[in-house]
Amino acid sequence: MKKKIVSLLLSTCIMSIAITGCSAHGEFGPSDTDSSVQADEQSSDTAVQEASAAQEGTDDAGKGTGGTPWIDSDIKENVTADTKTDPKDDFCLYVNKDWILENNIPDGYSEWSHYAERSLEVKKQCMELLKDASLKGHDAELVQTFNKLVLDWDSRNKLGVSELTDKYNKIAEAQSIDDITGLITDKDNVNEYYDFVNYSAFPGLNDSKKYIVWIENPGVILKDSAEYANRTELGDMYYGYNKDLFTYMAQKFGMTEDAAGKCFDKAINLETKLATKIYTSNDQYSADFYEKINNEMSLNDAVSKMKNFPLKDILTNTGYVYGGAYLNTNPDYLALLDEVYTQENVEDIKALLTVKFVLEYSNITDKDTYDKANELKNTYFGTTGALSDEEMAYKFVKEELPDSMQMVYIDKYGSEEERQKMTELCKEVIGTYRELLSENEWASDEVKNYAIEKLDKISINAAYPDKFNDTNGINIDGCTLIEANERITLNKINENKKLMGTKVDKEKWAQDMSVTDCNAFYNPLDNSINMIIGMMGEPFYSSDMSTEELYASIGAFWVGHEVSHAFDRDGSQFDAEGYLKDWWTEEDKKEFQKRLDKMDSYLDTIVAFGDNHFVGSNIDGEMAADITGLQCALRMASKVEGFDYKKFFTKYAQMNANMSTYSSELNTLTQDPHPLDYSRCNIPVQQFEEFYEAFDVKEGDNMYLAPEDRIIVW
């Protein structure tokens, strides 16, 4: 059963700009609960990555060497016991060398960091809860039952793909475009098959207090639509992995190896046509992206030009028809889809339906297929081994039953006292931001005053919400794993449909993510900062932290970073109430952009690793948030007598300790708005005199940046 409740565009547009927050990178590569081809959904487990990317037979360590002015210490192979360190030369490496040498990337992961360590701590707590027979209540029973189904390999092996055969055969038997239309619009099948568009109820951009229906282009097999015009290393990896996995699994349905390979390439052929009108990763980083996607209209207007593709019938038969507005995020894609949805392309259309259907179930059938998927991950994405069954099952539970899992966790580990402490810390940071904005010298009084008004209206959501989505409609007793998964997905769809035209409930602020993640986020649609329980543990937060450690972590790295997003290039497009409304003067925009241009020029000069440069315009939003968060924390520090700046900066560097495979690093560099971790330490500290004084950094040192070249946005 297809899953579109959290769509690609919402994930990568609203979520990655706003809700992936401090966490270093987004999900990369195929996860254990979802094939990489199923790009219509994005895992919210952003802290712990399940796959990296490396082609079989290549020397990744050699590719990741070099860099200017620093080596990429995120790649462990670049750091040895003999590597010399000096805070004046490479501060991140100086602080984190011992941690890098003492740790390794575990089996099943593509990177390891303090995010991952904290996430694993929470994960172990959750896995214990899944085995705790003393827990009572619907949600506890639900997650434990589903967990047992995932772990029941005997039943999964016995069933294999037998439950999917009839649905697969319906695609195979289709001969004409009319047959395909009948299949994807039939009320009994409409939620079963890929239908070339995503749609879901989500807060509007013009009125973020009300749910409307978003209609969007889908994700693609090669992850980024730019890959279809200019294939890169990453595109080759996704192509190879998905083709080999599809070829293996399609044979279980009776297809020959040769026929499966040809089917896959036909699917790629169709996506190559459609990709010309699907937003690329770079498109989504552009300053005018919200303007591009904000095409609000009636249903009739949205489907009026669709002569071939049955969009109206799909929306009608899935129940996504109501009297309110629809946000058509990509009219050009719909026009092209309608153009290619013809008998002439029926074989390619049928092939794409087949590939999407088969790969969706690659991690939910038998052990052989699951093991094959892991083998191919290791081949193409550079991982080693596999996650334990228990960890894999927990991830599956968390993906499919996020609300139930969160409620069970909060019942056990939630603390009102800690929630209040985090709220007070957020208030302290916000108060310091008020000082920074008030004293800003380049912004006009009009913009500064509104920025302060927006700051004063920021909602603070600490630790966890009190309300979650209703899970009472889910009953998986007596189900197989596939049946249970289908019931859960259908419940998500039904609950999402109920939102159409209704008011947004701000108390449910954790929708589309999980508070058990090690993460935090600013949400422009309701002007809120959200510090979740998943990050509220060592080494990021504890009640006995020193002031220096607390300011480096919560003040700079977490809360300070997130508040900055309210006033960056994207956050500034939303007003204090969360409406898409430009409140900047043209002159202020120019002054702000001047500072970003200066940052971009500097970032573009840095060689990340090998021959790969940073692309400043892709990462300047997150880098500006890092710098401004540090600026805020240093303002807080200036008020503390005897403040130990060496201890402060050392803790700040420790927050960015990370190890990645070469290909995970390449993915982050090209596909993620967050900078590489070592640069998230070295570049921000370079901007502040307190760092130079604390470590006696002088002109000629690698860490030195001349005063006139330093970048302070606010």
Side-chain angles (χ1 to χ4, degrees), residues 224-242:
D224 186 348
S225 59
E227 294 288 347
Y228 294 82
N230 183 23
R231 185 80 65 83
T232 69
E233 287 181 86
L234 288 176
D236 286 339
M237 294 166 193
Y238 277 97
Y239 174 86
Y241 169 81
N242 282 293

Side-chain angles (χ1 to χ4, degrees), residues 6 20 32 131 145 173 204 289 337 353 369 429 459 481 491 504 520 593 603 628 693:
V6 179
T20 50
D32 292 282
K131 296 185 293 185
T145 299
E173 292 164 1
F289 189 59
L337 173 61
L353 278 171
T369 303
V429 173
S459 300
L481 177 58
N491 184 77
V504 173
Q593 189 59 45
L603 293 172
T628 310
E693 293 175 0

Side-chain angles (χ1 to χ4, degrees), residues 5 11 89-90 116 155 168 175 221 238 243 261 344 407 415 439 476 503 622 657:
I5 300 307
S11 297
D89 179 61
D90 185 332
S155 295
Y168 170 86
Q175 299 297 316
I221 293 171
Y238 277 97
K243 184 173 185 177
E344 179 184 1
M407 286 187 277
S415 166
E439 297 173 13
I476 58 174
K503 291 183 178 180
E622 292 297 332

